[in-house]
């Protein structure tokens, strides 16, 4: 039997992936060591698809992409975001985040002809993560499998909840389903993620890293969260802290009860972004005074 099967829910235009073999995924708490650390076991080398840094078999890499051993799609990769066994994306530097995003773009463009490319991440306990080493995943699903993922509005009209940083706009939509969710939207709209510019990649790395650090103030280090990159035209990144578990009503109706005011989330982000900018300016001034 294949590892997975796509099944359409009758009369719903919604799909289910049946993948019972995934129940055998390794648990991160096992004492056998971490399969994403750079010890390069022969199995992992076989599964390697792409890397930044070092030749195949060389443990001195910066980013690695390997095939998921427990796939739920015809192409299902794992992007190992750092060789260091750290807890969270906030523990790596912005340059490493940039290499990760560069890898997503590369893989998106490699796979776009094969189906819908969804890039997503589960970080921290309670997010769906099974191995506690910073990583993301890429799943390419057949075109006919309908994905129900919210589209960006043509005009962003709720000016109270937005904030411009570099090439991007941060938004906490009034219709947020999850407490503290935030959308990162490129100022230049209408492109797919594969068309992102180098300048945008740089700007996005900084913004993404900052958002995680800011949410750590509120939810603690290694707080559980998910992200995804919208797979179609007019791309965006949505970051969702998992501060709540959907209840019976949400499961029954698909209607979410959000216990957090998105306006407040945006104020919190703005306040702490401003702090970081202020620190940067002070540091630069000090440098200037020292004549560095
Ligand atoms: Zn590890």
């Amino acid at each position: 039997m294949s590892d997975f099967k796509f099944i359409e829910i009758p009369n719903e235009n919604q799909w289910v992936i049946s993948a019972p073999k995934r129940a055998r995924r390794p648990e991160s708490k096992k004492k056998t060591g971490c399969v994403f650390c750079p010890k390069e076991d022969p199995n992992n080398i076989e599964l390697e698809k792409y890397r930044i840094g070092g030749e195949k078999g060389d443990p001195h890499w910066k980013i690695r992409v390997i095939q998921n051993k427990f796939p739920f799609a015809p192409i299902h990769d794992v992007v190992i975001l750092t060789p260091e066994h750290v807890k969270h994306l906030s523990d790596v530097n912005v340059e490493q985040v940039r290499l990760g995003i560069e890898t997503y773009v590369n893989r998106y463009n490699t796979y776009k002809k094969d189906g819908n490319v969804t890039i997503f991440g589960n970080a921290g306990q309670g997010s769906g993560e099974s191995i506690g080493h910073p990583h993301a995943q890429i799943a390419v699903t057949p075109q006919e499998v309908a994905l129900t993922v919210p589209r960006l509005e043509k005009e962003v009209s709720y000016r109270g909840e937005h904030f411009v940083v570099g090439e991007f706009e941060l938004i906490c939509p009034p219709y947020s389903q999850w407490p503290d969710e935030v959308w990162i939207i490129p100022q230049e709209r209408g492109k797919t993620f594969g068309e992102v510019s180098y300048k945008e990649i740089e700007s996005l790395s900084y913004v993404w890293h900052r958002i995680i650090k800011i949410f750590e103030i509120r939810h603690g280090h290694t707080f559980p969260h998910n992200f995804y990159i919208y797979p179609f035209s007019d791309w965006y990144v949505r970051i969702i802290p998992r501060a709540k578990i959907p209840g019976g009503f949400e499961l029954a109706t698909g209607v979410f009860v959000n216990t957090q005011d998105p306006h407040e989330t945006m104020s919190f982000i703005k306040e702490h972004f401003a702090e970081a900018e202020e620190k940067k300016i002070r540091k630069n001034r000090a440098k200037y005074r020292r004549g560095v």
Side-chain angles (χ1 to χ4, degrees):
M1 193 197 137
S2 137
D3 288 350
F4 52 84
K5 207 158 70 184
F6 295 97
I7 304 163
E8 192 172 8
I9 303 177
N11 311 318
E12 287 292 335
N13 197 28
Q14 269 198 23
W15 293 70
V16 168
I17 304 175
S18 165
K21 283 189 184 164
R22 280 178 65 76
R24 284 189 243 131
R25 281 177 297 164
E27 284 296 324
S28 57
K29 282 189 196 118
K30 257 173 52 178
K31 292 262 185 287
T32 48
C34 170
V35 290
F36 294 164
C37 275
K39 61 180 167 29
E40 303 277 2
D41 74 74
N43 265 339
N44 259 353
I45 295 169
E46 284 303 302
L47 296 172
E48 183 168 294
K49 292 199 174 170
Y50 176 84
R51 67 155 64 197
I52 298 178
E55 296 293 313
K56 199 166 184 164
D58 177 358
H60 300 98
W61 45 267
K62 290 190 162 149
I63 297 272
R64 282 184 89 207
V65 179
I66 55 170
Q67 194 183 308
N68 195 315
K69 273 190 182 172
F70 303 90
F72 62 69
I75 298 171
H76 187 176
D77 291 349
V78 177
V79 184
I80 308 171
L81 293 167
T82 167
E84 313 268 343
H85 191 84
V86 290
K87 292 264 184 245
H88 226 202
L89 199 66
S90 64
D91 298 324
V92 305
N93 60 28
V94 180
E95 168 59 10
Q96 191 68 31
V97 176
R98 188 186 65 75
L99 293 177
I101 296 170
E102 209 178 281
T103 305
Y104 302 156
V105 178
N106 173 294
R107 294 291 90 190
Y108 182 95
N109 285 326
T110 304
Y111 296 143
K112 63 185 178 193
K113 61 179 187 319
D114 302 306
N116 296 324
V117 184
T118 304
I119 300 165
F120 64 99
N122 310 329
Q125 257 189 354
S127 70
E129 175 191 85
S130 61
I131 294 174
H133 182 134
H135 67 282
Q137 298 182 60
I138 302 172
V140 185
T141 46
Q143 302 283 3
E144 64 267 25
V145 174
L147 305 178
T148 43
V149 52
R151 227 175 292 164
L152 270 184
E153 291 164 81
K154 282 246 172 316
E155 291 293 326
V156 178
S157 50
Y158 32 92
R159 290 288 162 196
E161 288 90 1
H162 95 137
F163 179 41
V164 174
V165 203
E167 315 296 304
F168 291 87
E169 210 169 321
L170 301 179
I171 286 169
C172 298
Y175 48 84
S176 294
Q177 293 173 309
W178 297 85
D180 274 353
E181 70 168 82
V182 57
W183 298 36
I184 310 175
I185 296 172
Q187 298 237 59
E188 204 187 323
R189 301 272 297 270
K191 298 194 292 185
T192 65
F193 179 63
E195 295 169 282
V196 65
S197 71
Y198 186 79
K199 207 171 164 200
E200 283 174 321
I201 295 178
E202 276 204 312
S203 187
L204 180 60
S205 331
Y206 171 69
V207 172
W208 199 326
H209 197 250
R210 265 316 299 153
I211 293 274
I212 302 300
K213 290 242 185 216
I214 289 168
F215 280 151
E216 281 190 348
I217 300 169
R218 176 173 268 179
H219 300 288
H221 186 47
T222 78
F223 71 98
H225 71 277
N226 299 103
F227 83 83
Y228 68 79
I229 299 173
Y230 184 71
F232 307 112
S233 182
D234 222 358
W235 72 278
Y236 65 88
V237 182
R238 185 178 176 197
I239 297 175
I240 307 171
R242 296 296 295 270
K244 87 168 235 162
I245 296 170
F249 183 74
E250 278 102 341
L251 297 180
T253 60
V255 178
F256 277 65
V257 180
N258 186 1
T259 49
Q260 172 73 27
D261 177 5
H263 208 94
E264 195 281 329
T265 301
M266 186 42 75
S267 311
F268 186 77
I269 292 172
K270 274 184 188 171
E271 186 191 323
H272 290 94
F273 239 109
E275 253 172 41
E277 289 300 310
E278 189 54 41
K279 258 190 216 157
K280 217 160 76 182
I281 293 164
R282 276 205 302 268
K283 213 168 134 188
N284 282 342
R285 272 196 206 127
K287 248 191 197 170
Y288 181 71
R289 273 200 302 271
R290 288 199 311 269
V292 179

